[in-house]
Amino acid sequence: MSELSQTPAGARRLPLARYLWQSYLRAAIIPLLVIELGFIGVYWVSSFITYERNAEALGAISREDLARTAQREADAIAEKLGAVGDLTRVFAAETARALRTPAPAAATDDDARHAYGADGVYYTTREGVSAGFYSGIVPVGPAERDKVRRTAAIDPLMQAIKAANPLVAQLYLNTHDSYNRIHPYFEVLTQYPAKMDIPSYNFYYEADAAHDPERRAVWTDAYVDPAGSGWMVSSIAPVYGGADGNFLEGVVGIDVTVDTIVRRVLNLQLPWQGYALLVGRDGTILALPPRGERDFGLKELTAHSYDEAIRADTFKPDDFNVHKRADLAVLGRALKAGGDGVVELALGSGRTLAGWSTVAGPGWQLVVLAPEHEILAGATALRERLSLVGWLMIASLMLFYVGFLIYLRSRARAMTARVAAPLGDIEALIRRIGGGDYEQSEPDYRIAELQTVGTHLVDMGRRLGAAYAAMVEAERSVRAALDKERELGEVQRQFINVVSHEFRTPLTIIDGVAQTFERRADRLGPDKIIERARSLRASVRRLVDVLESALSFSRLESSQLTHAFGPVAFAAVLQEVVQTETVAYPQHRFEIDGALPATVHGDAGLLRVMLSAVLDNAARYSPQAGTVTIRASTGTDDCVHLDIHDQGPGIPADELPRVRERFYRGSAGLASHGAGLGLYLVEQFVQLSGGRLDIDSPPGQGTVVRLVLPVHGPRAAAAA
């Protein structure tokens, strides 16, 4: 096979292998690849839409779950802290009773543990259930020492409460005159300043009448414990006494360290790697678990350095206040609005959902946070798996098509080898057929299409041979037509001879009558003149008949005969023709037997010619004063049967088949005289009208000519 070449006409010719290869690509591979890539595209789009819908659904569900989780955990924390609050109220009631109860008269071991220190401080000197510290801010006299002895009765209660609740870090009583009794024991002189004004601290004044008029247990926000326990919150309750019970004797409190809240209260098993934090009433983060320290950029304050004594309230810095941080402004506004809900935050780890709920009792708010990527982890994992499947599909598709294209390339080459040999045979077959060897044996190829081409070429060769033979036959037919033309010329010459002969006889008669009139006109009587006039009229009639026959024959032969088929008044035309023939043959009788149909289907001119020709023949070949009988009837074939019966000698049996031929003039009977065109024209015209011509001529019994004419149009139209 030749390489790619350029023909002068600009058409590109390709080797078969390359043509097949390009055909494979255009017709099959590229469309299939486009379709499959379309499917993969649909897969990617559908997977993306699926992810988006899943993310929306998970987002909505997670918001609801987060809100429910915050509510549930807030209720659980409220229950835990409520237990501490209940204990605080019990503690306050027992402390009030102890303060109202007189001190023991005898000295107690607790008295032996107390001593005066510098700056007028009265404190415990050795370990016991509790520690005591009377600030030197007021003089400590017998009344104060009596109060210390009365409060010793609450030591067993403090010890029991701490043992009963693991949240409790320490319990204490602070009085209005700055006395502090606290459990468990520690060295108070190393921790408290000598002139400590206890009512100035939040764990005291938040329970006074101004802050807690309902005298219930309340919770403080986070602060640094002056007693050395670090950052904590306290459940405090007032202890009223006096004669009217409206004097604030002191405040009891139960401390819970921030570390305890983080470890025991906020150690929640939350979904989506979530965590919880407690926010105080002023927006301060009271407790922040380690998982939230990175997101908030904070380190939770659980311990405190006590290099110096705590002389005033110490609260968490502003970094722990959600209302004072720009990155938590959304959360701060939501918490200020109160109630429950869910907001979206942009923290260090990305977008985070935060749901909150108010903790009943202390009025704090529990905020549950969950990273959005963890919430959508299932949908993201599904999307990643779908993406992996998509990439695997693309990789598999590419590998498949690489292998498939290599296979197709080899198949194209193999097919070229299988196709080239049959194509060479086909080329040789075409050459042989083109050389005139039309008869070729059918080839046998393995490829159906090439086999079809070979079979068609063999068939084409045979058809060409047949066409060549037909052309030879056509040439012979042309020669035959030329011969026919020559024969027609001979017929025309014969026709002219016959017509000229037919003209001479009536003309001779006319000339003879004219001479008679010229020489003997004065001696002819009326009868002779009438006889000679009739002879002239017969001769003229004869000339007219010959001319009409000649004209009809000429039009028929040249296909110029005009006609208009339709209903024809048959009876009127027949009567007209009979009247004409009666004038032409006065010595003959023309009798009509039977009722005539009103109309037939045909052409009036053709019908008149047919009737005139048949009646003229019947009168001509009947004896003098003979009778021509015309009988009409309607047959079962829906046609008019018109029988014209003469009294002539009849037609010999051997001449009867030929009387319908043109120019045939028999020895006797219908065709013994005339140009030999009458019955020929009648048969042609009756066939044009959709009928037929029958002739019956028994010897010696005259001749019966039957015209069968259709009454209605379809038969005539179909025949025409």
Side-chain angles (χ1 to χ4, degrees), residues 50-122:
T50 300
Y51 169 74
E52 291 295 325
R53 296 296 179 268
N54 286 341
E56 292 177 4
L58 286 176
I61 294 173
S62 62
R63 286 173 178 270
E64 295 176 1
D65 287 350
L66 201 63
R68 285 195 295 268
T69 299
Q71 179 66 51
R72 182 180 65 250
E73 298 302 332
D75 292 343
I77 293 174
E79 184 177 354
K80 293 178 181 178
L81 297 180
V84 176
D86 292 341
L87 292 174
T88 304
R89 286 190 290 273
V90 172
F91 183 25
E94 289 300 316
T95 301
R97 187 181 61 79
L99 289 174
R100 292 193 301 269
T101 303
T108 64
D109 183 64
D110 187 67
D111 295 336
R113 291 191 309 120
H114 287 76
Y116 284 99
D119 298 324
V121 174
Y122 186 69

Side-chain angles (χ1 to χ4, degrees), residues 438 462-478:
Y438 300 115
R462 291 171 182 166
R463 291 175 180 270
L464 285 176
Y468 178 74
M471 184 176 64
V472 172
E473 179 62 24
E475 183 180 359
R476 188 192 63 77
S477 298
V478 170

Side-chain angles (χ1 to χ4, degrees), residues 164 232 243 246 296 332 437-438 534 598 657 685:
M232 64 175 53
N246 291 323
F296 285 84
D437 187 4
Y438 300 115
R534 287 177 177 173
F685 291 169

Side-chain angles (χ1 to χ4, degrees), residues 3-334:
E3 291 296 325
L4 179 67
S5 61
Q6 189 77 17
T7 66
R12 300 177 65 85
R13 294 178 179 172
L14 294 175
L16 181 60
R18 188 179 301 175
Y19 176 77
L20 291 174
W21 170 248
Q22 292 182 0
S23 298
Y24 287 154
L25 288 179
R26 287 194 300 267
I29 305 304
I30 294 177
L32 185 60
L33 182 60
V34 170
I35 291 173
E36 294 191 5
L37 289 177
F39 284 149
I40 293 177
V42 171
Y43 172 82
W44 279 100
V45 172
S46 62
S47 63
F48 174 77
I49 293 175
T50 300
Y51 169 74
E52 291 295 325
R53 296 296 179 268
N54 286 341
E56 292 177 4
L58 286 176
I61 294 173
S62 62
R63 286 173 178 270
E64 295 176 1
D65 287 350
L66 201 63
R68 285 195 295 268
T69 299
Q71 179 66 51
R72 182 180 65 250
E73 298 302 332
D75 292 343
I77 293 174
E79 184 177 354
K80 293 178 181 178
L81 297 180
V84 176
D86 292 341
L87 292 174
T88 304
R89 286 190 290 273
V90 172
F91 183 25
E94 289 300 316
T95 301
R97 187 181 61 79
L99 289 174
R100 292 193 301 269
T101 303
T108 64
D109 183 64
D110 187 67
D111 295 336
R113 291 191 309 120
H114 287 76
Y116 284 99
D119 298 324
V121 174
Y122 186 69
Y123 68 100
T124 54
T125 58
R126 56 185 173 84
E127 187 172 355
V129 173
S130 62
F133 176 83
Y134 231 129
S135 172
I137 198 170
V138 295
V140 179
E144 284 73 23
R145 290 196 302 272
D146 182 69
K147 181 186 296 185
V148 172
R149 294 185 68 194
R150 289 198 302 271
T151 59
I154 64 175
D155 283 356
L157 177 62
M158 290 191 294
Q159 189 175 27
I161 290 175
K162 185 177 187 311
N165 195 315
L167 296 179
V168 177
Q170 59 192 13
L171 298 90
Y172 57 85
L173 164 66
N174 291 316
T175 65
H176 65 94
D177 53 357
S178 298
Y179 171 65
N180 169 254
R181 189 175 191 92
I182 188 167
H183 169 78
Y185 174 84
F186 63 92
E187 296 290 338
V188 292
L189 284 184
T190 60
Q191 196 67 38
Y192 293 152
K195 300 296 184 179
M196 183 178 181
D197 184 11
I198 293 178
S200 66
Y201 288 86
N202 70 314
F203 49 78
Y204 185 92
Y205 64 73
E206 288 189 10
D208 63 15
H211 293 84
D212 185 17
E214 297 178 359
R215 302 182 183 184
R216 55 188 176 82
V218 296
W219 286 85
T220 68
D221 289 332
Y223 65 94
V224 176
D225 180 26
S229 296
W231 290 89
M232 64 175 53
V233 294
S234 298
S235 174
I236 58 177
V239 178
Y240 283 89
D244 56 0
N246 291 323
F247 179 74
L248 182 62
E249 292 285 353
V251 174
V252 298
I254 298 178
D255 290 340
V256 179
T257 64
V258 170
D259 182 63
T260 300
I261 293 175
V262 172
R263 288 185 295 102
R264 293 185 175 273
V265 177
L266 298 185
N267 187 23
L268 306 175
Q269 299 299 319
L270 300 176
W272 311 305
Q273 299 296 318
Y275 60 91
L277 56 90
L278 274 177
V279 178
R281 292 180 295 274
D282 63 349
T284 301
I285 299 175
L286 302 179
L288 180 68
R291 281 182 292 173
E293 292 177 348
R294 183 185 72 251
D295 290 343
F296 285 84
L298 298 173
K299 180 67 176 176
E300 179 57 281
L301 303 177
T302 55
H304 182 74
S305 175
Y306 288 90
D307 295 336
E308 294 182 359
I310 303 301
R311 302 180 183 275
D313 287 332
T314 302
F315 302 109
K316 285 189 174 183
D318 290 345
D319 288 345
F320 282 83
N321 196 305
V322 297
H323 299 316
K324 298 179 180 181
R325 291 182 53 146
D327 58 340
L328 299 178
V330 175
L331 179 61
R333 288 193 297 269

